[in-house]
Amino acid sequence: MVRAAGTYAKVVQEPGAKCVLCLPSGAEKAVDSRCHATIGIVSNPSHGTCKLRKAGHSRWLGRRPVVRGVAMNPVDHPHGGGEGRTKGGRPSVSPWGKPTKAGYRSPSVASRKAFAGTKLIQFRK
């Protein structure tokens, strides 16, 4: 449950069958008292504070460069192309043309919501 570098959880209550843990987020979670745990703090507390020495260092960590769509060619991104520095020319979209802002709901979420609504309607009949 608490596995990130430098994190820990506290045991708040241990009344019997359930044990209450205080997580790093501040939330309290009840778990079975028979669960096993490792005592101590997860190592490397300075994980987020170390500076990367050069551009190649982030590549060693497997991070690829972030390239803006307007800096690409039209074949690579819907915002690409144009003479000189141009704005996107259309609302923000992903490289595949799907809207990314203004409350756009992804199809998977929309279909789940629609499916949940049909279940309720069927249950009422």
Side-chain angles (χ1 to χ4, degrees):
M1 294 172 83
V2 183
R3 302 187 309 176
T7 56
Y8 61 92
K10 291 181 185 175
V11 177
V12 180
Q13 295 176 355
E14 195 178 357
K18 292 281 184 182
C19 177
V20 179
L21 299 177
C22 183
L23 301 177
S25 64
E28 293 188 347
K29 192 164 181 91
V31 293
D32 196 342
S33 292
R34 295 173 293 177
C35 290
H36 290 274
T38 304
I39 304 218
I41 297 176
V42 183
S43 182
N44 197 10
S46 62
H47 171 67
T49 59
C50 63
K51 282 198 176 263
L52 302 180
R53 296 188 299 274
K54 57 183 199 167
H57 198 156
S58 64
R59 296 306 303 270
W60 302 339
L61 300 175
R63 299 179 192 154
R64 304 242 8 248
V66 177
V67 181
R68 296 167 301 128
V70 292
M72 298 181 187
N73 289 324
V75 295
D76 300 319
H77 199 281
H79 294 165
E83 293 291 323
R85 289 191 181 177
T86 59
K87 298 198 169 61
R90 60 184 290 184
S92 291
V93 292
S94 71
W96 303 277
K98 305 274 190 204
T100 55
K101 295 197 174 178
Y104 176 74
R105 181 172 284 185
S106 67
S108 61
V109 174
S111 63
R112 266 189 272 142
K113 295 278 185 182
F115 183 68
T118 57
K119 280 172 116 175
L120 290 173
I121 293 168
Q122 290 173 354
F123 183 70
R124 288 183 190 146
K125 289 180 183 177

